[in-house]
Amino acid sequence: MDVAREGRQPERTTYQITDAGREELKDWLRELIGEPEREYTRFEAALGECAVLPPNELAGLLQRRLDALDAAIAQHETGLKALVTQVPRLFLIESE
């Protein structure tokens, strides 16, 4: 840990990662990468950092995501329509 002051600015404390902290980071990354979970958490994390990208690029990426989701929904609906003739609708309500 280092404490410094620059001019009339308040003191600034700079911390250095410890070996234990480095190991905790590695364990955390191993968990995030190796254990499947719902993917929306990655999207939420990205939204929290999206100010790094220029607005026009961000808008384009969000539109691309929306288009992909719309396509996936359309494909899902097509599959559901095909199933309606084979499975009673009661069993498809949750998917609808």
Side-chain angles (χ1 to χ4, degrees):
M1 179 174 76
D2 183 37
V3 179
R5 180 184 298 244
E6 216 175 283
R8 294 174 48 158
Q9 298 294 323
E11 287 185 348
R12 181 180 306 172
T13 304
T14 305
Y15 296 91
Q16 185 173 3
I17 192 166
T18 63
D19 290 338
R22 203 172 276 111
E23 285 306 310
E24 181 63 29
L25 173 62
K26 289 177 185 178
D27 287 344
W28 179 67
L29 285 173
R30 287 180 185 114
E31 179 183 332
L32 288 175
I33 294 169
E35 297 176 19
E37 67 176 51
R38 298 185 75 105
E39 295 296 321
Y40 66 82
T41 56
R42 292 180 61 221
F43 179 63
E44 289 174 350
L47 287 177
E49 302 299 327
C50 68
V52 172
L53 298 173
N56 60 339
E57 182 179 0
L58 178 60
L61 291 168
L62 289 170
Q63 185 62 55
R64 185 172 84 185
R65 180 182 180 88
L66 179 61
D67 293 344
L69 290 171
D70 284 344
I73 289 169
Q75 184 177 11
H76 183 73
E77 288 174 344
T78 299
L80 282 176
K81 286 177 185 172
L83 283 176
V84 167
T85 60
Q86 302 168 10
V87 178
R89 184 166 178 264
L90 173 67
F91 299 108
L92 300 173
I93 290 176
E94 189 173 324
S95 293
E96 288 178 7

